[in-house]
Every structure is written in C-alpha cells, then in structure tokens.
C-alpha cells in the first residue's frame, strides 16, 4: 500500500483511513500534512496473527473511548520501532521515546502516540495478536503496556529477528506455510511477553518447547564458526541434557548434528560464490565455518552440492582454479 500517487494534500487522509481500517480506529495528525505525507506499508496474514510493516513520516496518533466503542479488534499490537523514535501513552503508563526496541499497546483502551520530527521516517513492524490467542493472563500483560521492551537480547531479539523478516520473505510462502509461521510468531510472542510479566510457567508446554527451539536455533547460528559446537555444548548452554536436546529436535526434519553441518555448508557455499571473498582460500573459508579438516569438508560439500568446492567457486566466479586447499 502506498499513498505516493495521490496529490500531497490527500495523502494524510488516505493514510489515517488505512491505519484505522487495518489496526483500529484512530486519529492521525501531522504538522506537515498540508505540504506532504508520503507513506507506504504492507500487511501479511498469518492465520491467527497478522504482521504490518509501515514506513511513514512524523505524526501524532490518538485513539479515544469513542474510537474503541466504534470498533475494537481486541488485539495486542506489539510494535518494533526503527528509524525515528515512537512515544506511546496508555493506561497511565508512558513508554518514553522508543527506538530499536518494542512497545506494546492494547486496542481495547484509548492511547496516544507521537513520532517526533527528526527529519526521518519511522519504520515500524507491528505484530497483531488477538488477545484470546495469547495464552497469558490479560491483567498481567496489561502491566507492560506502553513500556519499552528490549529487542536486543534473549527472546526479544529472537522475536524481533523473526518478525522483521516476515514482510520480506513471507509473501513468497504458500498458505499452509504462512499458517505455520503465524503459529511460530504466536509462540515466540507469548514466550517473550511471559518473561516480562513473570508468567513463563503459565505458557502451554508446546509454546515453551517452540521458544526453547528458537533459542537453540539462534545459538547454533551465532556459533557456527566454533569447531567445538556440538550437541553437548548446546545442551550445556541451555541447561538441559543432551537427551532432552535430541528429543527437542525429534519433530524436526534433521538431527542436531545434521542441522549444524547443513548450516555450516550453506555458509561455505555463500562465501565461495561471493566475489568479495575471491582472494580468500577455500581452506580459510571452510575453517571460518568450523571445518578444520579440508578432506572432510570437501567430502561433505560434494555430498550436499554434487560438485567439489573448487569447481563450484570456479563456475560461480569465472576465475582460474585454485592450486591450494580442498578440491
């Protein structure tokens, strides 16, 4: 969605109507409305939840009791903020300026928000979660409305990484995949918010399992270059037994060790076909991603991609074959 093809004086009205329709009825005002208000966004349906991505100028937002009575989607709106800060006030709680983190608001209560004019647009990603779908006590969740929630560590970082990529890659997914992504988003949101309200034990066992799996996946991604990465080190970091770790992966398409190897090979494949790394030896690339024995790397790479690493690189980059390193 974009208002940029409209005359400048009509853009704010169009944008306000769109937000009222897709989020909840509210009023949008801006000091620059008479000059220009270029904005764009997209929406992605994920079954029980939706993700909205907006890029818009500074503005003032307000939802009154009259707006709530007009229409209430009964949702929690978890907003990820970048670009220009966002300030929100709801139920006598004030977020202060939030940027690079998250803030939560409830569509069933009035709220007021402000994007100050810093010469930049705000980029926001909003995870819309029906309250009845969130397996947490509403009275406890409401305690963290209009409060800054960290996107930089733990479940907050995992959830942010997940949600902020959905608008880029989600449209390429099949409908049944979108529903699975929605279920994952709901589990991650529940686990993230539960930590803030001290209600992790209130979550269903499957939600806790999915949250742990997401933490493990993120840990593996961040430590692929460590040659000591193994099921034992992963289990130890997450304070579970190796047996519990294998049980966690039982419903996945691959074992823990197979997952580590696949991801390492994918990183090697990406580096070998990257022109910026053409001067780096194949052995160095393999070692960067945890393969310290060149023959073992060559066998694993060929088994997965059907060609030796050197041949793939020569084909991708059009250079002369290397005389050093794995074939």
């Amino acid at each position: 969605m974009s208002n940029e093809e409209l005359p400048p004086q009509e853009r704010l009205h169009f944008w306000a109507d769109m937000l009222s329709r897709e989020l909840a009825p509210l009023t949008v005002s801006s000091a620059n409305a008479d000059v220009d208000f270029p904005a764009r966004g997209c929406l992605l349906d994920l079954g029980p939840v939706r993700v909205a991505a907006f890029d818009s100028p500074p503005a003032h937002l307000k939802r009154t009791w009259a707006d709530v009575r007009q229409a209430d989607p009964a949702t929690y709106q978890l907003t990820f903020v970048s670009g220009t800060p966002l300030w929100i006030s709801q139920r006598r709680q004030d977020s202060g300026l939030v940027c690079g983190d998250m803030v939560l608001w409830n569509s069933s209560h009035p709220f007021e928000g402000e994007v100050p004019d810093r010469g930049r647009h705000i980029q926001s990603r909003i995870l819309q979660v029906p309250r009845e779908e969130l397996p947490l006590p509403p009275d406890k969740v409401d305690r963290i409305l209009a409060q800054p929630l960290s996107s930089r560590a733990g479940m907050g970082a995992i959830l942010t990484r997940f949600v902020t990529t959905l608008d880029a890659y989600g449209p390429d997914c099949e409908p049944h995949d979108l529903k699975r992504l929605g279920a994952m988003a709901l589990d991650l949101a529940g686990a993230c918010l539960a930590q803030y309200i001290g209600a992790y034990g209130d979550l269903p066992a499957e939600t806790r399992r999915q949250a742990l799996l997401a933490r493990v996946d993120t840990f593996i991604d961040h430590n692929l270059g460590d040659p000591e990465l193994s099921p034992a080190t992963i289990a130890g970091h997450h304070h579970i037994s190796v047996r519990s770790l294998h049980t966690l992966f039982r419903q996945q398409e691959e074992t823990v060790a197979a997952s580590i190897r696949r991801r390492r090979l994918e990183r090697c494949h990406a580096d070998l076909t990257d022109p910026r790394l053409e001067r780096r030896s194949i052995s160095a690339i393999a070692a960067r991603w945890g393969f310290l024995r060149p023959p073992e790397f060559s066998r694993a790479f060929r088994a997965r991609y059907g060609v030796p690493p050197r041949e793939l690189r020569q084909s991708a980059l059009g250079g002369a074959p290397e005389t050093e390193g794995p074939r």
Side-chain angles (χ1 to χ4, degrees):
M1 300 172 292
S2 173
N3 65 4
E4 295 178 359
E5 295 184 0
L6 297 173
Q9 64 272 19
E10 298 179 16
R11 293 177 177 177
L12 177 63
H13 180 71
F14 171 91
W15 193 248
D17 282 350
M18 188 278 298
L19 291 181
S20 292
R21 183 175 64 253
E22 302 297 346
L23 298 182
L26 50 78
T27 300
V28 183
S29 58
S30 171
N32 299 321
D34 294 335
V35 180
D36 202 3
F37 197 88
R40 60 182 183 272
C42 62
L43 295 163
L44 188 64
D45 283 310
L46 302 173
V49 302
R50 292 203 312 168
V51 174
F54 298 134
D55 183 306
S56 55
H60 183 84
L61 312 170
K62 189 171 185 178
R63 178 165 165 79
T64 65
W65 278 119
D67 294 325
V68 174
R69 288 191 291 269
Q70 176 185 341
D72 179 20
T75 56
Y76 284 115
Q77 310 265 351
L78 186 58
T79 305
F80 306 78
V81 185
S82 60
T84 292
L86 169 68
W87 159 83
I88 280 184
S89 175
Q90 188 170 53
R91 298 196 71 184
R92 300 182 181 179
Q93 299 178 137
D94 192 314
S95 69
L97 292 177
V98 176
C99 190
D101 287 316
M102 307 174 284
V103 64
L104 181 71
W105 58 278
N106 185 338
S107 70
S108 298
H109 299 279
F111 85 94
E112 193 166 0
E114 179 82 30
V115 179
D117 192 347
R118 299 286 179 86
R120 302 187 305 275
H121 281 203
I122 180 175
Q123 284 84 48
S124 57
R125 302 292 185 273
I126 304 176
L127 180 63
Q128 300 174 267
V129 180
R131 287 202 308 276
E132 63 182 15
E133 296 285 346
L134 192 67
L136 292 170
D139 59 326
K140 291 185 179 180
V141 177
D142 284 351
R143 297 173 192 169
I144 57 172
L145 298 176
Q147 298 295 302
L149 308 174
S150 176
S151 293
R152 306 166 198 267
M155 287 304 304
I158 293 172
L159 177 61
T160 300
R161 181 181 177 187
F162 181 82
V163 171
T164 54
T165 57
L166 282 174
D167 59 305
Y169 302 109
D172 297 328
C173 295
E174 297 295 329
H176 66 277
D177 292 324
L178 291 176
K179 289 185 178 180
R180 289 179 60 190
L181 290 173
M184 292 170 62
L186 186 59
D187 285 336
L188 293 177
C192 178
L193 297 177
Q195 291 186 337
Y196 280 101
I197 63 176
Y200 197 78
D202 294 342
L203 295 172
E206 178 60 19
T207 297
R208 296 197 299 271
R209 193 189 77 83
Q210 290 294 338
L212 177 58
L213 183 61
R215 286 164 48 205
V216 168
D217 277 339
T218 301
F219 180 80
I220 292 174
D221 278 341
H222 288 174
N223 292 276
L224 287 173
D226 181 0
E228 300 299 322
L229 183 67
S230 68
T233 59
I234 295 168
H237 180 83
H238 292 88
H239 310 291
I240 59 176
S241 68
V242 174
R243 181 178 180 180
S244 296
L245 179 65
H246 288 308
T247 300
L248 183 67
F249 271 70
R250 189 170 295 162
Q251 297 181 24
Q252 305 304 107
E253 297 178 353
E254 56 192 1
T255 64
V256 182
S259 179
I260 294 171
R261 174 165 293 220
R262 172 185 57 78
R263 298 185 210 195
R264 282 175 168 166
L265 289 171
E266 288 173 349
R267 300 301 196 282
C268 290
H269 187 286
D271 284 0
L272 288 169
T273 56
D274 188 342
R276 297 170 298 178
L277 302 177
E278 61 182 342
R279 293 183 178 274
R280 185 171 296 180
S281 72
I282 294 176
S283 295
I285 287 175
R288 178 188 183 190
W289 296 113
F291 290 104
L292 301 185
R293 298 181 179 86
E296 177 187 341
F297 167 65
S298 291
R299 287 193 299 270
F301 192 92
R302 185 165 191 162
R304 180 164 184 83
Y305 295 108
V307 295
R310 186 179 300 175
E311 185 177 325
L312 173 83
R313 182 178 234 187
Q314 183 182 2
S315 174
L317 302 182
E322 288 191 21
T323 59
E324 180 275 330
R327 290 181 178 276

